[in-house]
């Protein structure tokens, strides 16, 4: 385990990475620059999706070593990030998924599929 402020490029290239926090919160995610999370939208490789209270999960080859992968998990708030469930990784249907973590009044049961803003696959070049 490394702190984002202490990992060297050599170590980042040596391992597959689990990055918690987008570019605004994680120095390695900022350096790799694929996902940007703002209060009202998420941008993945230049394509923007409107989302308030967003939680993002994306997997792609490590730009420092394409034989390794990056799994980025980030959110626009701590509350949204708390909804990430690592146990659901095996059930992931997409290379990336953006969810709206806001539940209108909290009294109704909301399925994960109802929270999905966008999800999809990167192409054969991971674009």
């Amino acid at each position: 385990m490394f702190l984002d402020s202490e990992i060297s490029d050599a170590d980042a290239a040596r391992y597959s990475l689990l990055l918690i926090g987008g570019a605004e919160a994680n120095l390695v995610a900022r350096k790799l620059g694929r996902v940007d999370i703002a209060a009202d939208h998420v941008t993945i490789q230049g394509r923007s999706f409107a989302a308030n209270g967003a939680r993002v999960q994306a997997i792609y080859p490590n730009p420092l070593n394409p034989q390794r992968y990056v799994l980025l998990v980030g959110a626009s708030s701590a509350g949204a990030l708390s909804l990430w469930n690592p146990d659901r990784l095996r059930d992931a249907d997409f290379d990336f998924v953006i969810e709206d973590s806001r539940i209108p009044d909290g009294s109704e049961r909301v399925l994960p599929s109802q929270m999905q803003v966008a999800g999809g696959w990167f192409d054969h070049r991971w674009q």
Side-chain angles (χ1 to χ4, degrees):
M1 187 177 302
F2 296 91
L3 293 175
D4 64 328
S5 59
E6 296 177 359
I7 190 170
S8 69
D9 285 348
D11 283 332
R14 185 174 301 127
Y15 301 105
S16 289
L17 304 173
L18 169 58
L19 303 178
I20 305 296
E24 75 294 339
N26 185 300
L27 295 174
V28 177
R30 184 176 313 144
K31 185 175 193 172
L32 300 181
R34 188 172 283 234
V35 178
D36 180 46
I37 304 166
D40 62 349
H41 69 278
V42 174
T43 303
I44 298 180
Q45 287 195 309
R47 184 164 179 195
S48 190
F49 301 89
N52 292 308
R55 186 195 63 81
V56 180
Q57 177 177 299
I59 188 166
Y60 50 91
N62 184 336
L64 302 174
N65 178 354
Q67 301 301 314
R68 299 291 183 181
Y69 286 87
V70 172
L71 172 61
L72 180 135
V73 178
S76 60
S77 69
L81 186 60
S82 73
L83 296 176
W84 181 61
N85 182 351
D87 292 335
R88 289 183 38 211
L89 281 175
R90 292 189 179 141
D91 300 331
D93 292 331
F94 300 113
D95 292 338
F96 73 92
V97 65
I98 301 167
E99 293 176 333
D100 184 336
S101 66
R102 295 173 302 137
I103 299 172
D105 65 8
S107 64
E108 62 186 272
R109 182 178 174 145
V110 178
L111 299 173
S113 62
Q114 293 173 297
M115 295 170 43
Q116 195 169 82
V117 172
W121 298 272
F122 298 116
D123 66 17
H124 65 282
R125 293 182 320 249
W126 290 89
Q127 299 295 312

